[in-house]
Amino acid sequence: MTRRPTEAQFPDDYAESAAPLRAPELTEAECRRCGTYIAGLDGRYACGVCGWVNDHSEGHRRLPRADEDPDRPPRRRRRPKRLPGPPPGP
């Protein structure tokens, strides 16, 4: 039986995550389904005409982990509970 590798065996991932995140690069391509000219970030696309989306692994660089997101809320902070009842009217 082969053991599954653990994160501790991949030091390159940690070295890369220690550096500050670069700004995403705007990329352009044609939709593979309908041919519409579309734009995306770092080689990840979604077509607004036909709904085609390319796989996240086709991007130009790795996606940041949740703990690398500068907009992530602080830990142990929960969203306030919504009050029961109908939504407020206009």
Side-chain angles (χ1 to χ4, degrees):
M1 174 190 251
T2 305
R3 288 189 166 206
R4 182 182 267 173
T6 62
E7 289 185 28
Q9 295 175 347
F10 299 108
D12 294 357
D13 290 344
Y14 292 111
E16 191 174 316
S17 68
L21 295 175
R22 295 183 330 205
E25 178 185 348
L26 185 62
T27 53
E28 301 167 339
E30 285 188 10
C31 172
R32 293 181 194 163
R33 186 183 295 166
C34 69
T36 302
Y37 190 70
I38 55 178
L41 296 176
D42 293 327
R44 294 176 178 91
Y45 304 103
C47 180
V49 176
C50 69
W52 172 82
V53 178
N54 72 331
D55 190 62
H56 73 277
S57 63
E58 296 178 31
H60 298 162
R61 59 183 172 166
R62 72 172 184 82
L63 291 170
R65 296 189 315 252
D67 60 342
E68 297 171 331
D69 184 1
D71 298 326
R72 182 181 183 190
R75 288 186 176 196
R76 298 184 185 207
R77 183 175 170 192
R78 295 185 180 183
R79 291 184 181 181
K81 292 184 178 181
R82 291 186 177 224
L83 297 173

